[in-house]
Amino acid sequence: MAKTIYEKIWDAHMVYEPDGQDSIVYIDRHYVHEVTSPQAFEGLRLAGRSVRRPELTFATMDHNIPTTNRALPIADILSRAQVETLKRNCEEFGVECFDMHDPRNGIVHVVGPELGLTLPGMTIVCGDSHTSTHGAFGALAHGIGTSEVEHVLATQTLLQKRSKTMEVRINGVIPPGVTAKDIILAVIGRIGTSGGTGHVIEYTGEAVRRLSMEARMTICNMSIEAGARAGLISPDETTFEYLEGRPLLPKNKTRDELVEEWKQWASDPGCAYDMVVELNAEEIEPQVTWGTSPEMVTGVKGHVPVPDEIEDPDKKLACVKALEYMGLEPGIPMESIPVDVVFIGSCTNGRMEDLREAAKVFRGHKKADPVQVLVVPGSRVVKKQAEAEGLDKIFLEAGCEWREPGCSMCLAMNDDRLKPGERCAATSNRNFEGRQGKGGRTHLVSPAMAAAAAVSGHFVDVRDWVYKEA
Amino acid sequence: MKSFTTHQGLVAPLEMMNVDTDQIIPKQFLKRIERTGYGDVLFYDWRYLDDGKTPSPEFEPNAARYQGASILLAKDNFGCGSSREHAPWALSDYGFRVLIAPSFADIFYNNCFNNGLLPVILDSATVQNLFKEVRATEGYTLTVDLENQKIIKQDGAVIPFDIQPFLKQRLLNGWDQIGLTLRHEEKITEYERTRALVYSRRA
Ligand code: SF4
């Protein structure tokens, strides 16, 4: 029978499927970061347990670390303690850790793929909801809680029940100026933040096939914002090419052997999904969120909604509260909204292509005067490559700040945060109240849209941008 | 883990859909390396005024009549967003034992069961009706009987609810998940010997 990639991976990782209970699923890769792991390691210690397969486990520090001078110790005592605790736990339990000073350090969901640790057909977990990112490689990847982190550390398995499957098919070709970020925001706008609950999404269709790996990661990354357990894209030539020569690929097989293995994971033609959603890529505009949930989104040529026109009482109330929090008048054009801060980075849009796109918009332009612009690469590898391509100069000349890698203002756990009332165009994934700092107002956009807003001082349609050559 | 059988408690309403875990517990409180002590900062940004101390009069669960509540009545997609288990830690540290909503986000729902917290899913109309009753009656309590899968109102009316049998057993018995899984250790070892993906080991 024709199987979906989800069914193939699920079946291949079944350790034990007891009647009426959750199944025991084997985990091939476990990523760990400083925020959601200390209590898990402590639990192991208290129970006298060890990490079952430390060689399948990799840790990085990303959430708490400063994006300014790394030579200085972290000023915040609690952040420092958390980072040091991770380091100590990794040493004690024999887990490899890319600490703040390691050249491989960066955001966990940027680091895994770029090192070649994320591979097709794997099951991957991390105590972090954006683990869905790794699904871009055709790996079944999802976020787990700290108790489950402990469970995976101790047993290399996870208790799971089979999910339903949802195909999100993006037909056609995306127009110039429209990016993966706009596709996924449009999908979330369509199905809502709980639209994927209980499902694993597989993204298919011509537009998805044409996307690069980095763009696919952007899409899978935000599957969680659609409520899905995971997002997946079947592996293909684009996947295999991306993986070519990655430093931590398995060394016991030739490339051809690996590709043969990887190929088998793709969904079979004619497989069936529990639910199908279709979008036409040609109709997708650059997206901007206006509210405090990623589903509160519209095209850049659109307007802030008018609550009185919303019938559903819950949605109406949510809209009223969101507009109040966001300080927006109903009905105004999205392009009229000014920004104070622009944040380019995160595990959604902190990779090379994102920085290249943003740099292309900035080239030959200056940021608008009062706007603060933070450009934060997703990893040290990304930072180095961007500098080799001279992108840092373009950013600096445009008046942006070029920072050290980390999660930074995506969740504002370190010092990078909005002040109350500040309005930010962000390339990250969550516009929740206070996400980027208490009282801060977040609008989610693509890197190109963020750069264009930085130069213009308000949102503009990047499809009309006048690019300047160097 | 704490087990859960029946619970009777005061109900507090939180009428807002898509309550995310950033709201349940903001990031500045995720820096601690312990599992306890998060109750005081539950719903921090909504619960307190800008000084971070004075309870906000606008946050409904702050009302005097809801103090001591142990059952939270919520709306659709409660617990969406980040996977932080700090969210159920904070809810349970505050004193909640039961959450009632029309739907919960997946990771959060799962995390509740690892912390002795019972999330009950009821249809929207029933939840909406409970909101009405809670507000109309000071001291509104419910009894939640997990074994028999029912919620009993003060007037004796019964609302049945569904729950997956295994999740129910987990809570009733307060099972240690890791211990349970390790009872099947020979199956894990066998899997590793025969089926674990070769490329998942770095040679
Ligand atoms: S960049 Fe943001 S979303 Fe991604 S892992 Fe860091 S905090 Fe989470």
Side-chain angles (χ1 to χ4, degrees):
Chain A
M1 221 188 80
K3 278 185 173 183
T4 63
I5 178 170
Y6 172 72
E7 289 158 340
K8 290 185 187 184
I9 300 178
W10 175 266
D11 291 346
H13 289 79
M14 190 52 56
V15 172
Y16 182 47
E17 210 166 2
D19 269 353
Q21 298 187 7
D22 284 6
S23 305
I24 302 181
V25 176
Y26 199 77
I27 300 301
D28 295 320
R29 185 71 77 223
H30 186 187
Y31 296 123
V32 173
H33 69 68
E34 77 272 24
V35 180
T36 53
S37 68
Q39 296 85 353
F41 282 111
E42 183 60 16
L44 288 186
R45 208 173 281 123
L46 288 173
R49 291 176 175 134
S50 55
V51 174
R52 184 178 177 91
R53 300 297 301 272
E55 79 280 19
L56 306 184
T57 314
F58 292 85
T60 184
M61 305 169 173
D62 49 11
H63 284 65
N64 265 309
I65 58 178
T67 55
T68 47
N69 192 348
R70 288 281 166 81
L72 302 170
I74 302 179
D76 181 314
I77 299 168
L78 288 174
S79 295
R80 189 162 71 209
Q82 207 169 52
V83 161
E84 283 167 1
T85 302
L86 177 63
K87 181 105 180 121
R88 253 200 331 273
N89 283 332
C90 287
E91 278 162 14
E92 180 181 338
F93 290 94
V95 170
E96 185 157 3
C97 176
F98 308 136
D99 74 18
M100 237 165 65
H101 307 291
D102 191 298
R104 297 164 297 180
N105 176 262
I107 305 172
V108 59
H109 311 307
V110 176
V111 166
E114 77 188 358
L115 294 179
L117 289 171
T118 292
L119 300 173
M122 280 185 164
T123 46
I124 301 179
V125 295
C126 174
D128 193 285
S129 57
H130 291 99
T131 308
S132 58
T133 313
H134 307 268
F137 290 80
L140 178 57
H142 46 77
I144 55 177
T146 297
S147 298
E148 292 173 312
V149 170
E150 185 181 336
H151 190 280
V152 177
L153 288 172
T155 68
Q156 203 56 37
T157 66
L158 187 65
L159 296 168
Q160 282 276 291
K161 49 186 169 305
R162 191 183 279 267
S163 299
K164 285 183 275 194
T165 54
M166 179 191 286
E167 179 186 19
V168 172
R169 194 183 316 148
I170 319 288
N171 296 314
V173 181
I174 45 170
V178 177
T179 66
K181 182 64 161 288
D182 303 304
I183 296 180
I184 188 62
L185 283 171
V187 168
I188 296 164
R190 164 82 80 83
I191 69 175
T193 44
S194 58
T197 304
H199 290 76
V200 165
I201 296 179
E202 180 178 350
Y203 301 94
T204 66
E206 189 187 355
V208 174
R209 284 286 140 234
R210 286 164 170 264
L211 291 175
S212 69
M213 279 319 293
E214 297 196 354
R216 292 179 186 184
M217 283 189 249
T218 302
I219 292 201
C220 287
N221 173 276
M222 290 191 73
S223 303
I224 183 72
E225 266 64 60
R229 293 233 175 109
L232 278 163
I233 294 175
S234 283
D236 59 12
E237 285 307 320
T238 306
T239 322
F240 311 143
E241 248 166 62
Y242 175 96
L243 287 170
E244 175 94 56
R246 297 278 152 188
L248 297 183
L249 287 179
K251 305 226 173 8
N252 56 343
K253 299 230 165 175
T254 64
R255 176 183 149 83
D256 289 352
E257 285 170 333
L258 287 172
V259 169
E260 272 321 298
E261 272 186 22
W262 293 340
K263 272 188 185 155
Q264 57 166 330
W265 296 107
S267 285
D268 296 328
C271 63
Y273 301 86
D274 295 310
M275 199 177 156
V276 180
V277 175
E278 279 187 81
L279 265 77
N280 183 353
E282 270 121 50
E283 287 165 11
I284 300 175
E285 280 185 55
Q287 303 282 301
V288 185
T289 64
W290 50 263
T292 52
S293 161
E295 70 183 21
M296 295 172 163
V297 66
T298 182
V300 61
K301 291 283 189 245
H303 296 77
V304 172
V306 179
D308 286 341
E309 294 169 1
I310 301 173
E311 271 178 38
D312 181 307
D314 288 333
K315 290 211 168 117
K316 183 173 176 169
L317 176 69
C319 180
V320 169
K321 287 205 170 168
L323 295 189
E324 190 187 318
Y325 180 85
M326 295 295 289
L328 291 173
E329 288 301 318
I332 60 165
M334 293 306 293
E335 287 191 286
S336 70
I337 302 173
V339 297
D340 306 306
V341 177
V342 170
F343 169 62
I344 298 174
S346 88
C347 60
T348 313
N349 282 131
R351 299 183 178 80
M352 274 317 299
E353 287 176 14
D354 304 313
L355 299 187
R356 285 189 200 118
E357 258 176 46
K360 213 167 92 191
V361 172
F362 275 123
R363 181 178 291 142
H365 290 280
K366 286 251 179 294
K367 72 169 180 77
D369 211 11
V371 181
Q372 184 195 9
V373 188
L374 256 73
V375 185
V376 186
S379 72
R380 292 185 79 164
V381 171
V382 170
K383 179 162 191 262
K384 206 169 147 203
Q385 174 68 21
E387 287 172 354
E389 294 180 18
L391 304 188
D392 56 325
K393 302 228 168 46
I394 298 175
F395 293 129
L396 290 167
E397 271 160 26
C400 312
E401 297 169 36
W402 177 241
R403 296 290 190 95
E404 293 295 323
C407 293
S408 180
M409 208 188 261
C410 171
L411 96 162
M413 219 171 144
N414 67 359
D415 290 337
D416 309 339
R417 67 179 86 104
L418 297 178
K419 294 192 229 7
E422 272 185 337
R423 189 180 297 287
C424 178
T427 66
S428 45
N429 42 52
R430 288 188 174 138
N431 51 354
F432 297 156
E433 280 185 31
R435 170 82 178 180
Q436 295 193 285
K438 188 174 160 74
R441 295 159 170 167
T442 304
H443 297 267
L444 303 176
V445 287
S446 72
M449 283 288 289
V455 171
S456 312
H458 56 89
F459 291 108
V460 291
D461 188 343
V462 75
R463 289 173 298 183
D464 305 332
W465 196 250
V466 184
Y467 291 94
K468 294 193 189 162
E469 289 311 315
Chain B
M1 196 189 74
K2 280 187 282 193
S3 64
F4 186 110
T5 46
T6 47
H7 175 78
Q8 187 191 16
L10 187 67
V11 184
L14 178 58
E15 192 163 12
M16 187 73 199
M17 64 192 294
N18 296 326
V19 170
D20 58 76
T21 54
D22 273 80
Q23 225 47 252
I24 298 174
I25 178 149
K27 67 271 179 159
Q28 64 268 37
F29 306 113
L30 309 185
K31 297 183 181 185
R32 303 183 48 243
I33 54 176
E34 298 85 20
R35 262 177 208 261
T36 50
Y38 297 95
D40 288 344
V41 293
L42 175 70
F43 297 123
Y44 185 82
D45 286 350
W46 285 342
R47 185 168 153 200
Y48 300 110
L49 296 178
D50 285 343
D51 64 2
K53 293 197 294 268
T54 317
S56 161
E58 272 169 42
F59 186 57
E60 194 174 2
N62 275 346
R65 54 181 289 195
Y66 299 125
Q67 295 317 296
S70 57
I71 299 177
L72 184 68
L73 190 60
K75 301 286 286 193
D76 267 305
N77 203 23
F78 187 84
C80 61
S82 149
S83 64
R84 57 187 71 159
E85 201 161 312
H86 308 71
W89 294 340
L91 287 160
S92 96
D93 200 50
Y94 176 89
F96 287 117
R97 298 297 317 276
V98 180
L99 312 171
I100 301 173
S103 64
F104 294 91
D106 282 333
I107 304 178
F108 174 81
Y109 184 77
N110 214 21
N111 283 342
C112 287
F113 288 93
N114 287 323
N115 291 282
L117 199 58
L118 173 64
V120 177
I121 301 171
L122 298 178
D123 66 79
S124 299
T126 308
V127 171
Q128 208 46 51
N129 195 41
L130 285 174
F131 269 103
K132 241 191 256 152
E133 293 181 9
V134 166
R135 289 183 178 134
T137 323
E138 215 169 313
Y140 188 91
T141 63
L142 290 171
T143 303
V144 182
D145 175 352
L146 176 58
E147 177 75 54
N148 298 301
Q149 295 181 213
K150 57 187 189 186
I151 294 176
I152 306 145
K153 298 190 190 179
Q154 279 160 315
D155 63 6
V158 166
I159 307 171
F161 63 87
D162 273 338
I163 184 166
Q164 288 190 21
F166 181 52
L167 292 174
K168 173 175 163 181
Q169 289 309 320
R170 258 166 75 176
L171 272 191
L172 283 174
N173 297 300
W175 276 333
D176 162 28
Q177 288 298 109
I178 300 178
L180 275 190
T181 299
L182 287 176
R183 290 214 307 232
H184 302 293
E185 178 160 18
E186 82 291 351
K187 294 198 180 66
I188 302 174
T189 308
E190 180 62 11
Y191 181 92
E192 286 176 328
R193 204 175 59 77
T194 56
R195 295 179 62 196
L197 297 178
V198 265
Y199 63 65
S200 66
R201 302 191 198 124
R202 283 202 293 135

